Amino acid sequence: MKDSADSVRRALMAAITPLPLIARAAPAQQDGRRADRTSTLVAYFSRSGNTRVVAGLIQRSLGADLFELQPKVPYPDDYLATVEEARQERDSGRERPLGRAVINIARYDTIYLGFPIWGETTPPVILGFLTSHDLSDKDLIPFITHGGYGLGSSLAVLAQGAPRARLRPAFSMEADQERRTMNHVNDWLKSARGPD
């Protein structure tokens, strides 16, 4: 299992390396050191860790600030229970409020926003982020992980939730380790039990 997780992380790193990083880096001081403040924020939500890996790579490459989006009420630890809860939120159009907001979002010019695709769209916690932060006149650059079904309606959700932001082209990649692991284990258990 560890080898599989390591290979996914290596694949993520290899896939994101050529990603053009178009955000402005923080200005350098005259002695060549980076100024203490950056105008770029990497904000992300991750359940299984795939999006977290991508966020960390972007943050380190840009020297940006990093902010993990965490819902005020956490999702269940059980994967299938989380899927059901998120489906109910999506179907009813509910957002999931954040546990804490980004302090002084106004100081950022560029926001890299990362999340996995849930139910063919953004997780409800992303709606919580969009409604609780004013992204007007900011570059909004999505980075998205998905289980093979693509971006779904996520870009339309971002455009609607942050209508005054400049939505830039998204980076996306398939990274569905959690569901694949669950399916592999379930298949193995079925075969281990033998015929009924």
Side-chain angles (χ1 to χ4, degrees), residues 164-178:
R164 298 201 53 222
R166 291 180 297 274
L167 186 58
R168 303 298 188 198
F171 170 79
S172 69
M173 68 177 296
E174 184 176 350
D176 190 23
Q177 186 64 28
E178 192 166 16

Side-chain angles (χ1 to χ4, degrees), residues 55-72:
L57 289 168
I58 294 169
Q59 183 269 331
R60 283 188 298 279
S61 293
L62 297 176
D65 289 343
L66 187 66
F67 185 82
E68 182 174 6
L69 303 174
Q70 297 178 344
K72 187 173 186 175

Side-chain angles (χ1 to χ4, degrees), residues 104-151:
N104 194 12
I105 192 86
R107 77 182 188 101
Y108 297 107
D109 298 323
T110 303
I111 311 287
Y112 283 82
L113 181 59
F115 54 89
I117 294 295
W118 282 10
E120 300 178 359
T121 192
T122 60
V125 73
I126 297 300
L127 295 175
F129 173 76
L130 295 174
T131 60
S132 62
H133 295 87
D134 181 8
L135 303 184
S136 297
D137 301 319
K138 298 183 184 306
D139 289 322
L140 179 59
I141 307 170
F143 60 97
I144 303 166
T145 58
H146 62 85
Y149 299 105
L151 301 180

